[in-house]
Amino acid sequence: MEFTLLIVIIVLALIFDYINGFHDAANAIATVVATKVLSPFQAVVWAAFFNFLAYWVFGFGVADTVAKTANTMDINLVVILAGVIAAIIWNLFTWWQGIPSSSSHTLIGGFAGAAIAHAGFGVVSWYKEGKDGGMPSGVLIIVAFIILAPLLGALISYLISIWLLNASKKSIYPKIFTASLMLMTIWFVESQMIYYDQITKPRFDSHFWSVALEAHNIKWFLVAFIVLSISTFCLIFSSLNLNQATAWLKKMQLLSSAAFSLGHGGNDSQKVMGIIAAAVAVYINTSGVAQEALPSWLDVVLPNDEGAFKMPTWIPLACYSAIAAGTLSGGWKIVKTMGSKITKVTSFEGVAAETAGALTLYFTEHFKVPVSTTHTITGSIIGVGLTKRVSAVRWGMTVSLLWAWVLTIPISAILAAIIYYTFSIFI
């Protein structure tokens, strides 16, 4: 019975990942579709490709955080089953209504709600201090980023927009600023890199390729590439006429949307990995099966003070494949909301918003914080709108979105608790 439940949870988790793909596809493609840089079909293929490519870029930091949402020693598989089903129901409902709610928060809310119904509030990891002064974790930190993620996205997109606007002027000062930013970016990325003697398991004999293709380093190389690409454009922006500038911005939108799709895949797929890892850990605790007796395809070890997160390759591959397949299925109702109802988007705004969203996702993933890609890109689009004028943002629509964001975790939690109590009668 326990093993059957585990398989059902894994299947449903991958179905949720697929739904997450088409539910959140609009986050990555809304602006490139709205600005007609790509057709809807081309856009979803583009986004799906980079969703899957994220497998080689990101580690398991966010998966680690999600897996530890509740103490796996104090819950059972029915808890996780109820949480996943609640998340699927809320995701499908909001997709049907065309509301860009957070797939991330509905999953965490569902998991936490069912766990509370089973063992009380103490079973949930509400707040845990970070090691050595690092980023704290827990559900309260995730809740805080409901506000912080869109604010960060809005601030970064606003600053990028101001940077681009000043770079279009024939003045030496924006060019001095841009050159300085390029040097600072190179210095910062170099300081974040892991070199050969720090790599635990080098992938290649070659020192160069081991360092260049280390997942941690690839992420920072991408950050450098994004910033340096925009910087290069800013250095020549003032010498371009309107048609030339528009053509360059449309090409840059391909880069910015690809960067955001990478962040979407890396952030959202890991949440499902965390749920699957938690389910395996609970199965071991409740079934009495020893870790050593598990088949190799279930060799999952949750992170602790002595070891790192460990999971077989098929889990991240399946999760990244499911979200990419979901993205290929599109999500046209939400595309309309994200691409036109918040503020009118041009290629200029698209580059600023997607770049800001991507950078926000990369940095939050670095700190192992599971944020909402929906909230992040929405905040980024609002930040771009603010550079024109406050009234350029359709605040009525934005307030409606905020209500959906705030309600997602509690509604998912209540729904999961109801499902848990119902299942407990029969299972």
Side-chain angles (χ1 to χ4, degrees), residues 125-153:
S125 175
W126 296 104
Y127 181 85
K128 185 178 180 182
E129 290 187 3
K131 296 179 184 176
D132 303 321
M135 187 75 182
S137 60
V139 172
L140 291 179
I141 299 300
I142 296 169
V143 170
F145 271 85
I146 292 177
I147 304 299
L148 291 177
L151 283 179
L152 281 172

Side-chain angles (χ1 to χ4, degrees), residues 173-216:
Y173 297 110
K175 291 179 174 56
I176 292 173
F177 171 80
T178 299
S180 302
L181 183 62
M182 293 172 82
L183 291 174
M184 288 176 60
T185 300
I186 293 168
W187 168 80
F188 175 77
V189 170
E190 191 278 333
S191 70
Q192 295 297 317
M193 285 178 57
I194 295 176
Y195 288 97
Y196 189 81
D197 57 347
Q198 299 170 296
I199 300 174
T200 308
K201 294 180 180 179
R203 296 184 184 182
F204 307 95
D205 293 330
S206 165
H207 285 215
F208 173 81
W209 289 113
S210 293
V211 172
L213 297 178
E214 175 68 20
H216 174 89

Side-chain angles (χ1 to χ4, degrees), residues 380-391:
S380 299
I381 294 172
I382 290 171
V384 168
L386 289 174
T387 61
K388 293 180 280 190
R389 59 187 185 281
V390 174
S391 61

Side-chain angles (χ1 to χ4, degrees), residues 231-252:
S231 298
T232 302
F233 173 74
C234 285
L235 291 175
I236 64 169
F237 196 1
S238 61
S239 64
L240 303 175
N241 61 39
L242 180 60
N243 290 334
Q244 289 173 326
T246 301
W248 270 94
L249 285 166
K250 286 190 173 185
K251 290 174 184 175
M252 289 172 63

Side-chain angles (χ1 to χ4, degrees), residues 24 26-28 30-31 99-102 146-147 149-155 157-158 260 334 337-339 341-343 345 349 353-354 356-358 360-361 372-386 393-395 397-402 404-405:
D24 289 3
N27 300 342
T31 57
I99 302 169
S101 67
S102 169
I146 292 177
I147 304 299
L151 283 179
L152 281 172
L155 176 62
S157 67
Y158 180 82
F260 187 81
I334 299 175
T337 300
M338 300 295 288
K341 289 188 178 180
I342 295 174
T343 188
V345 177
E349 284 91 9
E354 289 160 352
T360 302
L361 290 178
S372 166
T373 55
T374 307
H375 298 183
T376 302
I377 194 63
T378 303
S380 299
I381 294 172
I382 290 171
V384 168
L386 289 174
V393 177
R394 297 185 175 95
W395 294 106
M397 172 57 65
T398 305
V399 170
S400 299
L401 296 180
L402 285 171
W405 298 353

Side-chain angles (χ1 to χ4, degrees), residues 258-337:
F260 187 81
S261 293
L262 269 173
H264 173 218
N267 197 285
D268 284 27
S269 290
Q270 285 192 57
K271 293 152 192 169
V272 178
M273 292 182 219
I275 290 294
I276 293 174
V280 174
V282 171
Y283 171 72
I284 293 170
N285 297 336
T286 57
S287 67
V289 176
Q291 177 87 40
E292 299 75 23
L294 285 173
S296 58
W297 61 275
L298 283 178
D299 186 18
V300 175
V301 177
L302 288 183
N304 52 46
D305 293 333
E306 290 147 17
F309 205 171
K310 175 185 174 185
M311 66 174 70
T313 305
W314 75 266
I315 295 178
L317 271 176
C319 290
Y320 281 114
S321 298
I323 200 168
T327 298
L328 275 173
S329 302
W332 312 119
K333 289 184 178 181
I334 299 175
V335 166
K336 187 176 180 182
T337 300

